[in-house]
């Protein structure tokens, strides 16, 4: 078994560290917050981000990047999108030659519109294969060893095989793909649709409306992914439809929670201030619209959610705007 470094001790990073420790790896879990490292080391749990889950003995904690990455051939990046570049800049000088980097972040970088694997590659350099880990996977369920199937995507077949082999567990199954673009755009945009799903549910608009939203949301993220170079079939799989359904309907979804609270009349800043973890869809919405403009792809749901998030429109008006759009054949764009 290998020594694995996990960068980021939020809920997802901790859950992956717990999983990797259970399947036999020596895991070094890095956090930038020294006080969190001390608390987790003392309590053998992450009470802030993943309460009730014991850390296996194989998982050690550190706030030293050099310690975390020393002689590690497999590195997992579970950093929120807005902090990924800075962390990878810190990590780059300490990466072992040829180390495989697993990007477990679902989002897009603001300002650059880059997918997170592109950010990782820019900072780590071309000698490090990058594998994207995505799919329907609430952190707490992975940590509790509930059955989970995910997707790993890379243009490096050997790196895919490596990650599949090293992450595989009795309750954790990994499929492979070479469609990195489709996987990452699906994983990023589903968070926007989940905010809208929370709005629909919070307004009490019913199951018909939710089903329609998810279906049209899938069409929306598929259009953008394909325009950017992804494959349509990827979006009907785990990293597209699978993750979309989970995030739009699951009670553990942070982005759905944002939509629910918006529907109850709370201000966005107040909602975010009360959340311990990042709702990536809030950041991704504006970036997705920029990408849509770049590729001349219409994103009606993202457009209305941007209006709501920016305070230019209330939630009921946003839903009405979607319902009153011109009708067209289902196969048509938009």
């Amino acid at each position: 078994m290998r020594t694995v470094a996990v960068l980021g001790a939020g809920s997802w990073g901790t859950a992956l560290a717990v999983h990797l420790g259970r399947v036999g790896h020596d895991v070094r879990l890095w956090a930038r917050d020294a006080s969190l490292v001390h608390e987790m080391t003392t309590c053998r749990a992450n009470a802030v981000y993943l309460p009730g889950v014991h850390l296996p003995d194989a998982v050690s904690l550190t706030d030293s990047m050099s310690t975390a990455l020393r002689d590690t051939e497999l590195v997992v990046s579970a950093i929120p999108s807005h902090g990924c570049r800075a962390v990878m800049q810190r990590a780059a000088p300490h990466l072992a030659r040829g180390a495989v980097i697993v990007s477990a972040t679902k989002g897009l970088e603001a300002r650059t519109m880059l997918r997170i694997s592109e950010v990782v590659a820019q900072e780590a350099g071309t000698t490090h294969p990058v594998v994207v880990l995505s799919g329907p996977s609430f952190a707490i369920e992975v940590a509790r060893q509930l059955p989970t199937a995910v997707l790993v995507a890379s243009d490096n077949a050997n790196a895919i095989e490596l990650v599949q082999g090293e992450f595989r567990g009795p309750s954790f199954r990994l499929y492979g793909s070479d469609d990195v673009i489709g996987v990452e755009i699906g994983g990023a945009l589903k968070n926007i649709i989940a905010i809208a799903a929370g709005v629909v549910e919070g307004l009490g608009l019913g199951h018909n409306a939710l089903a329609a939203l998810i279906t049209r949301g899938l069409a929306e993220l598929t259009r953008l992914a394909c325009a950017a170079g992804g494959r349509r079939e990827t979006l009907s799989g785990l990293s597209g439809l699978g993750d979309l359904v989970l995030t739009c309907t699951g009670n553990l979804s942070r982005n759905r929670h944002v939509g629910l609270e918006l529907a109850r009349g709370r201000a966005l800043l107040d909602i975010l201030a009360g959340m311990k973890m990042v709702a990536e869809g809030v950041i991704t919405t504006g970036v997705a619209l920029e990408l849509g403009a770049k590729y001349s792809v219409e994103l009606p749901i993202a457009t209305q959610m941007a209006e709501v998030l920016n305070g230019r429109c209330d939630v009921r008006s946003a839903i009405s705007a979607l319902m009153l759009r011109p009708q067209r054949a289902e196969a048509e764009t938009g």
Side-chain angles (χ1 to χ4, degrees):
M1 290 296 180
R2 298 174 183 272
T3 298
V4 183
V6 178
L7 306 182
S11 59
W12 191 215
T14 303
L16 289 172
V18 167
H19 167 71
L20 289 165
R22 283 176 178 155
V23 298
H25 297 298
D26 175 17
V27 183
R28 300 174 192 154
L29 177 58
W30 175 87
R32 62 164 57 90
D33 185 348
S35 62
L36 178 61
V37 168
H38 175 73
E39 180 183 339
M40 291 177 66
T41 301
T42 303
C43 301
R44 300 306 300 166
N46 189 338
V48 176
Y49 295 109
L50 204 68
V53 176
H54 177 74
L55 296 179
D57 292 341
V59 177
S60 61
L61 283 298
T62 182
D63 63 347
S64 167
M65 188 67 77
S66 61
T67 298
L69 296 178
R70 185 180 301 122
D71 300 324
T72 54
E73 299 176 354
L74 191 57
V75 179
V76 180
S77 173
I79 305 295
S81 61
H82 65 272
C84 182
R85 185 179 293 278
V87 171
M88 290 310 302
Q89 285 174 348
R90 289 182 60 182
H94 306 289
L95 291 169
R97 183 186 298 273
V100 173
I101 302 174
V102 179
S103 174
T105 303
K106 299 172 183 176
L108 300 168
E109 187 179 49
R111 298 180 303 277
T112 67
M113 297 185 289
L114 292 176
R115 293 175 284 106
I116 300 304
S117 70
E118 294 177 303
V119 175
V120 171
Q122 279 188 353
E123 299 302 334
T126 58
T127 61
H128 297 284
V130 180
V131 179
V132 173
L133 174 66
S134 192
S137 47
F138 284 146
I140 190 63
E141 295 193 1
V142 172
R144 289 174 177 168
Q145 303 182 77
L146 297 177
T148 302
V150 295
L151 196 68
V152 285
S154 177
D155 58 9
N156 186 313
N158 291 331
I160 291 174
E161 186 175 349
L162 172 71
V163 174
Q164 284 180 302
E166 302 300 338
F167 278 67
R168 178 82 184 266
S171 58
F172 200 75
R173 180 176 177 83
L174 302 97
Y175 292 83
S177 172
D178 62 357
D179 184 9
V180 179
I181 296 174
V183 168
E184 286 195 284
I185 289 184
L189 263 70
K190 57 90 182 177
N191 288 326
I192 304 170
I193 311 303
I195 295 174
V199 169
V200 166
E201 186 169 347
L203 292 176
L205 299 182
H207 294 96
N208 292 350
L210 182 59
L213 176 79
I214 292 172
T215 305
R216 295 313 302 166
L218 178 63
E220 189 160 311
L221 59 89
T222 299
R223 285 197 302 273
L224 183 57
C226 291
R231 297 196 299 268
R232 182 173 298 275
E233 59 267 26
T234 300
L235 283 303
S236 65
L238 288 167
S239 62
L241 178 61
D243 211 359
L244 178 66
V245 170
L246 179 72
T247 314
C248 287
T249 63
N251 290 333
L252 297 172
S253 168
R254 286 167 263 172
N255 294 282
R256 174 177 170 272
H257 170 76
V258 170
L260 283 167
E261 294 302 306
L262 287 170
R264 291 167 182 155
R266 293 187 64 198
L268 178 62
L269 290 179
D270 292 339
I271 298 169
L272 298 180
M275 297 176 66
K276 295 178 182 177
M277 293 170 280
V278 176
E280 286 282 3
V282 175
I283 298 172
T284 303
T285 301
V287 187
L289 290 178
E290 292 180 41
L291 272 180
K294 176 181 178 180
Y295 292 110
S296 300
V297 173
E298 190 177 11
L299 304 172
I301 299 174
T303 298
Q304 291 305 318
M305 287 306 97
E307 293 293 298
V308 171
L309 294 172
N310 291 326
R312 294 190 293 263
C313 177
D314 65 85
V315 289
R316 288 192 179 275
S317 298
I319 298 299
S320 295
L322 289 172
M323 291 299 295
L324 293 173
R325 296 179 67 251
Q327 299 184 131
R328 59 192 69 192
E330 185 178 37
E332 291 182 15
T333 299

